[in-house]
Amino acid sequence: MDCNTVTLETLSQCFLATLSPLPEPRRHAESTIATAADQPGFSLAVIRLISAPSAIDDQIRHAAAVNFKNHIRSRWSPSNPPTRDGIPPHSPIPDQEKEQIKNLIVKCMLSAPLRVQSQLSEALSVISSYDFPKLWPNLLPELVCAIKSATDYTVINGLLGAVNSIFKKFRFTYGTTDIRLDLKYCLDNFAAPLLEVFLRTAGGIVNAVSSGGGSPEILRRMFESQRLCCRIFLSLNSVELPEFFEDHMREWMTEFRIYLTTMYPAVIETDGTADNLRAAVCENLQLYMNKNEEEFKDYLSDFTSAVWTLLMTPSTSGSRDRLTITAIKFLTTISTSVHHSLFASPEALQQICHSIVFPNIRAQDEDEEMFEMNYIEYIRRDIEGSDMETRRRIVCELLKGIAVNYREQVMAIVVAHVQTMLSSYLSKPVENWKDKDCAIYLVVSLSTKKASGQMEAAHLIDVVNFFASAIVPELQSHDVNAAPMLKAGALKFFTVFQSQILKQNSVLFISDVIRFLGSESNVVHSYAANCIEKLLILKDNGLPRFSSSDITPFVQSLITNLFKVFQFPESQENHYVMKCVMRLLSVVDISDEVVSPCIGHLSMMLSEVCKNPKNPVFNHYLFEAIAALIGKSCEKNPTLITVFESNLFPVLQSILVNDITEFWPYAFQLFAQLVEISRPPLAQNYMQLFELLLSPDSWKRNANVPALARLLQAYLKKVPNELNSQGRLTQVLGIFNKLISQSSTEELGFYVLNTVVENLNYDVILPYIQNIWNVLFTRLQNQRTVRFIKSLLIFMSLVLVKHGHLVLVDSVNVVQANLFRVILEQVWIPNLQSITGFVEMKLAAVASTKLMCESSSLLDDSAVQVWISMLENIVSLLVKPEQDRVFEDTDVPDISENTGYTPSFVRLRNAGKKEEDPLKEIKDPKEFLVSSLASLSANTPGKWSSVIKIHLNANNKAALHEFCSTYNRSIV
Amino acid sequence: MEDEHCSSSPFAADFSSQKREGIKSSAVHNVAVLRRREIAIAIGKERRDALMLTKRLCRDVTVNNDEGSVESDMIVDEGKTDLNNQTLRAVENLKSSMSYLGKGSLQKKLEALKSLRRLLSKTNVPSIEVAIQAGAVPLLVDCLSFGASDEQLLETAWCLTNIAAGRTEQTESLMPALPMLIAHLGEKSSNRVTEQCAWALGNVAGEGQHPRNILLSQGVLLPLARLMQSDKASTARTSAWALSNLIKGPESKAATELIKINGVSEAILRHLKKQDEELATEVSWVVVYMSALSQLATSMLARNGIIPLLVEKLQGSESTQMLIPVLRSLGNFVAADNYTINSVLVVGQNMTNNVISALVKCLQSGHRILKKEAGWVMSNITAGSIEHKKLAYSSEATVVLLHLLSIATFEIKKEAAYALGNLCVAPREDQSQPDVITDHLVSIVERGCLKGFISLMKSPDIEAARIGLQFLELVLRGMPNGAGPKLVEKEDGIDAMERFQFHENEEIRNMANGLVDRYFGEDYGLDD
């Protein structure tokens, strides 16, 4: 593409049009650009447009820059993975064009307005991630040179920002040789210039401040510049302490200390600019304290007191969260380091607790605001662990940190504080609710987390007493809407300590918790649902604590209240509540009268979410709830199926008709569940669906395939003869053919095939078996992966156990004379040990045993060697633990990785089949092996026992011997 | 829960469980605790002390003794100006002495050189810049021409040595002098001259990869390698030092070239056999870089019998100076070359016991660098065969490592963690061994190491976090009777793993989430 003015003009028009509110011109422009993007030189044209001197609208520049960044992102990599759905990948940018881009981008970035600059900076870091440093040796020198000569802090910050994003990778990678080489290169070229610009700016700040401040904007930029230097410092120091930084530690630390201990003009204190720099400094200090205690120790006490003072000083900036968090992390690191004795004195411990920890644990305005305005985020932070970086969580870390070495003292302080908070609350409950909230938060946060989200409050408090005195009054409070944060805290406490509260105690409060489902606060009703859900799965020694009959008295009110929650604003798709519904329906026996309103509610909600599916978690639990309800109630009363059919068919059909793709896998699983429950002959609706199932189009989407295979299986089991008519089996095998041809779906192909073999009589399969073998063996010849061989082995085993060894051996030998022997020796026996999974292992072992004890092809005298190696492998398969037998098979991509953006298949547990074992009659493959061998040898005493004695290796002989004695059989 | 983790197969086309399986097999099972770790590229300080710095001035001992002690203390601003003036005059003097062709011109030149040399060696901060600005370099290059007297060459090389000890630009200004300095390394020059030239070149090489590449292209390697074979201790020492600067990487070619030169490997072994610790120190640094960068050198030296010599030094010496490069070399050999662990440090040999007890001694020393290096070597030994693990485990090392894990500073803690972690996993190649060495694991867990590993997980250091996580995986999977989860839970390990829920490092994130899911996931289905 030539970059003459005409194309630039056209491009510029197009970019402008992409911002149009009208869909028509916008789409047209987008497609024009997309077409242009495939031509060589496109990116150069765009970059010229961005840097064009003429008075181009900033909007256009920005749109072009965004496009440029995306273009680079999708096309810089030389080997783009193919996109899904068979669309070929974007053509990569030619090398020559790449070189030109690399020559232009820094200059272009420097002259661009801020918004455009940040886009280009991102593009630059994308390019760097591939090319820097080896394929882009000019970059760093060019940046260094620009930084040295620049005086405008907008430019300097742009450059430092770019360096920062390029170097970030050092923070999160291991110090492998390659990384160390890159890091060394960066240090050699940038460590000194970084210090230089840092000191230069430091001087600039001193001058500006002493001369009365100058322009606040410039001062702000200088602070930002220092902050960026600190971030780069962090990246360069992350792998280990570099020589240059050790040699110049004093220079860095001196400036760091100045920033922590100086109060700057109000303009940069109030808007948080100074605090941002300080936060970056603290993070660096924390890194040094953590990794380089020894080199850092001379500075430690100065910095400890500086950080300490900072935390004690009330801030003038509105929110100091970031700084508070990094500063506290620094102190936490000290508390657990070899220098923990800095905090050893009782005064220090008191001060840390009372001046730093407790005030920061108190709910603050932001917490209250989030509680009300953004309940999902509040809950995620409060109970789902995404609060690593919150103030409340981080001070608890500090508390735990000092408790590592001063446990008794710290616990005494905390216990006393909890008591104080509780009594202060009691004196004025309305005003002082935050005191109690703080006490509850402390107790929960300092407990040890156990599996399944339960907690243990070792040493700190007596859970039972605390529950009775502080939590129960909240749970029994009449007004479900009063002091909602406190109620949420109480419900959280009850939820995480359930396992420590006796059943007869906790059962008393179930109806109270149900009441809180009616609270207007989203957090409170979500916590109530969560509490009940956890109660339902709580186990004592592996057994559920609450049986269905324990819950029965509450079912009616639970169901009523749970479904009411969905009417609250913001909670229409509350997944905590839907999860509770799902749990309830899968645990508790629902009486027949309740089934109908339940399924009515659920179907209605389903048709509602079909209009605009947006919360996949909620939708998943919704489908699970439906599946659970069907499963549980039809198990007791199969006639209820008509209720489900009448409620669900309309909405399930609309999912198929309206092509709501993300729901297809769910719909097929529900259909499968219904088919399995119904009695033949199947209703017309199902048979129509069967046609859809057999259409190859349905199988094109990967996510559908497991669900379709499952549905197919349901049909085959229920109405095997239907398959035999109208050439349907041919269609099924066509599907098998298609699936087996791609390595990503081959397992599903086998799934279909196994279903056919397992459920149909051999006379039905007979006409097709040659074709099946041909397909499989051709595939075997062309692409022999371990995964394929495993599946093939399982399939052959299944044919053998279902239809007998003669069927297997003879049908294979029809393909080619003596082929079975070849397969046996080259495929079956050598790969037997790679079989994993209990059911599969049992199947393969039993089939192999039958083969060697029944088939003349193995019992023949000429086959003794084969017979023995079969036995060796069966015994090894049965004896060795999986990890000793199996090597990683890395030659096949994992399907699940390929399903990124398209709807993926998620299995519904509640719609799951119960039986997957084709060999239920055989419990123990070891026993089967020795019994078979015992009967075989009884026919020709001495023959097989001597073969075993002579040929079997010692370990396996011992193992076999052990089986014999275990099962009391002998091989004579 | 059972079927949640059963492997994928035609019978259980459960994609969600496949995903988990994928995580497990890609990250958690890949017990990288086993990997020996090479540290080929030096980022941090090398811990070579005063005598062995990468660059060093050649101070004038006699001058210091006579008049220097007072003088050097007096160098303040005023003194500095004075020194600058004197240096300037000395260069002018040299210039005029060289254009003087009359009688005694040689003597005059020599005098001028001497006085310049004295000024450049007088203090720790000589006026190098002034000398360069005044045009000293071309004059000095002239003074190196063939046929000059030994004394003149010596004085000149001395001046150049100290200029080369300066800042980067100052060193770079010496480029025109390099060919002549190299030329005087030859056999025809006197000992004192070659040594001084080697010193100057060593300083240049210490500057960085760029001057190193120039020196190498000018053929410096061969004559320096010959000098290192000298039996004169000071010559061998200085050239070894210069060579170590020359081959230190990150490029590895020079190290390989060096070992290919006839006699180099033998000379290294010969020097290491001597009692001379200063010489052994310099030679060991050469070995450090060779073993870090060159597979060929590593393999040759190991097969020629360097290991017993290193072990002997390690056992017999108290010199931290020497022990650091000896430890570093030993660690490199163990890490990079299976021959060392399989055929030299064989379990049952006395030497192997000696290594372990010497390492324990270093681990217990008061010197943190020694501790760290010894921990690293130990971790590479415990990454060896099952017999090595058993030997190390039953030695004193276990107690010492456990102690270090609980109280040492971070970098030592991390090495101890690697060493202890390796004790508990069996090598993967050997299929007949179980993955986890249960009795080792049980015993060190019982002695309270879990706390230490979990505290490493809270570090911002990615490798420390990973080793902590990997050890947790061992405990979860490997403790008998499924006791692992309870133990991890008790030490607040769930919380520690959940920190990685949103971590930027994908491997760590997946590994942590996979473990939490697998061992602490909530019971989704109730049908088990």
Side-chain angles (χ1 to χ4, degrees), chain B residues 10-53:
Chain B
F11 283 98
D14 175 353
F15 280 55
S16 55
S17 82
Q18 256 189 18
K19 194 158 214 155
R20 285 222 180 97
E21 198 67 19
I23 288 165
K24 190 197 76 191
S25 55
S26 69
V28 181
H29 257 322
N30 171 14
V31 189
V33 192
L34 266 171
R35 202 183 309 141
R36 302 199 191 105
R37 295 163 309 130
E38 300 173 58
I39 305 177
I41 311 302
I43 302 289
K45 254 191 171 354
E46 286 172 318
R47 313 292 165 200
R48 300 174 76 162
D49 285 341
L51 191 67
M52 272 72 67
L53 287 172

Side-chain angles (χ1 to χ4, degrees), chain B residues 184-256:
Chain B
H184 287 295
L185 293 177
E187 285 152 11
K188 293 195 179 115
S189 312
S190 77
N191 247 326
R192 294 174 65 204
V193 171
T194 47
E195 228 171 87
Q196 196 61 52
C197 289
W199 191 335
L201 290 167
N203 274 349
V204 174
E207 183 52 48
Q209 192 67 53
H210 176 244
R212 245 174 258 159
N213 287 343
I214 292 177
L215 286 170
L216 290 167
S217 71
Q218 294 181 356
V220 76
L221 208 53
L222 188 64
L224 271 183
R226 288 223 180 96
L227 279 184
M228 191 180 65
Q229 303 178 29
S230 162
D231 276 323
K232 186 164 189 294
S234 64
T235 308
R237 196 171 64 221
T238 306
S239 47
W241 168 79
L243 278 170
S244 73
N245 273 351
L246 200 61
I247 64 166
K248 72 196 319 186
E251 285 172 23
S252 64
K253 201 169 148 234
T256 305

Side-chain angles (χ1 to χ4, degrees), chain B residues 281-319:
Chain B
T281 306
E282 296 302 352
V283 170
S284 300
W285 278 108
V286 174
V287 177
V288 166
Y289 298 125
M290 282 185 156
S291 54
L293 296 165
S294 164
Q295 193 57 49
L296 178 72
T298 313
S299 153
M300 274 177 71
L301 289 169
R303 281 158 186 77
N304 289 349
I306 198 171
I307 308 295
L309 298 174
L310 291 173
V311 174
E312 211 171 283
K313 294 279 176 222
L314 188 60
Q315 262 190 301
S317 173
E318 299 291 331
S319 155

Side-chain angles (χ1 to χ4, degrees), chain B residues 390-464:
Chain B
K390 283 183 182 155
L391 178 69
Y393 169 75
S394 57
S395 75
E396 236 180 313
T398 310
V399 180
V400 176
L401 289 169
L402 283 167
H403 182 66
L404 291 176
L405 178 66
S406 69
I407 57 107
T409 54
F410 171 77
E411 47 182 8
I412 297 167
K413 216 180 203 178
K414 184 167 136 189
E415 296 303 340
Y418 271 111
L420 288 166
N422 280 342
L423 278 181
C424 302
V425 278
R428 268 309 244 182
E429 307 85 65
D430 189 355
Q431 288 294 313
S432 67
Q433 295 294 341
D435 249 351
V436 180
I437 304 176
T438 312
D439 46 339
H440 292 186
L441 181 67
V442 170
S443 142
I444 72 166
V445 169
E446 273 171 1
R447 287 191 260 171
C449 72
L450 203 48
K451 236 188 210 15
F453 279 101
I454 288 177
S455 87
L456 282 178
M457 287 170 66
K458 299 182 181 172
S459 155
D461 185 277
I462 298 285
E463 285 179 357

Side-chain angles (χ1 to χ4, degrees), chain A residues 171-177 180-181 183-184 187 238-243 246-247 286-287 290-291 293-295 336 338 380 384-386 388 393 397 400 447-452 533-534 536-537 539 579 582-583 586-587 620-621 624 706 747-748 750-751 754 758 787 791 794 798 836-837 839-840 843 883-888 894-896 905 907 909 913 916 918, chain B residues 1 3-4 6-16 18-19 21-22 25 29 35 38-47 54 249-251 368-369 372 407-411 413-414 428 431-435 458-463 466 477 486 489-495 498-505 507-508 519-528:
Chain A
R171 289 185 213 162
F172 310 116
T173 46
Y174 312 115
T176 58
T177 302
R180 295 173 83 91
L181 273 173
L183 176 56
K184 188 160 173 57
L187 285 163
S238 283
V239 170
E240 70 177 78
L241 178 60
E243 182 165 15
E246 185 171 347
D247 290 344
Q286 196 222 346
L287 180 78
N290 202 298
K291 295 181 65 166
E293 301 107 310
E294 206 55 36
E295 293 86 349
T336 54
V338 288
R380 286 189 54 207
E384 293 182 353
S386 76
M388 281 317 302
R393 166 83 178 241
E397 289 296 311
K400 287 182 185 175
S447 310
T448 310
K449 197 161 206 172
K450 296 172 50 174
S452 67
E533 199 260 327
K534 293 290 177 298
L536 293 173
I537 55 168
K539 287 183 180 171
K579 192 176 183 186
M582 178 274 291
R583 193 69 72 198
S586 59
V587 172
H620 176 77
Y621 289 132
E624 282 283 16
E747 291 199 338
L748 298 163
F750 276 109
Y751 193 98
N754 290 340
E758 213 183 330
R787 196 201 293 219
S791 300
I794 291 294
L798 193 64
T836 51
V839 174
E840 291 79 7
L843 175 63
Q883 69 262 27
D884 285 352
R885 290 189 274 112
V886 183
F887 301 89
E888 297 300 341
D894 202 337
I895 304 178
S896 50
F905 173 75
R907 184 173 150 199
R909 308 270 316 190
K913 298 169 295 161
E916 283 181 339
Chain B
M1 292 299 290
D3 63 333
E4 187 123 16
C6 79
S7 71
S8 53
S9 78
F11 283 98
D14 175 353
F15 280 55
S16 55
Q18 256 189 18
K19 194 158 214 155
E21 198 67 19
S25 55
H29 257 322
R35 202 183 309 141
E38 300 173 58
I39 305 177
I41 311 302
I43 302 289
K45 254 191 171 354
E46 286 172 318
R47 313 292 165 200
T54 29
E251 285 172 23
R368 70 189 179 95
I369 306 299
K372 181 185 166 192
I407 57 107
T409 54
F410 171 77
E411 47 182 8
K413 216 180 203 178
K414 184 167 136 189
R428 268 309 244 182
Q431 288 294 313
S432 67
Q433 295 294 341
D435 249 351
K458 299 182 181 172
S459 155
D461 185 277
I462 298 285
E463 285 179 357
R466 180 172 63 174
R477 175 163 53 99
K486 276 271 170 291
E489 192 177 290
K490 214 178 109 225
E491 293 298 342
D492 218 2
I494 301 181
D495 175 71
E498 284 181 347
R499 284 157 188 271
F500 297 115
Q501 230 182 105
F502 306 102
H503 199 270
E504 286 87 346
N505 183 299
E507 182 191 342
I508 295 207
Y519 293 99
F520 303 99
E522 67 183 47
D523 290 347
Y524 188 81
L526 291 162
D527 42 290
D528 52 332

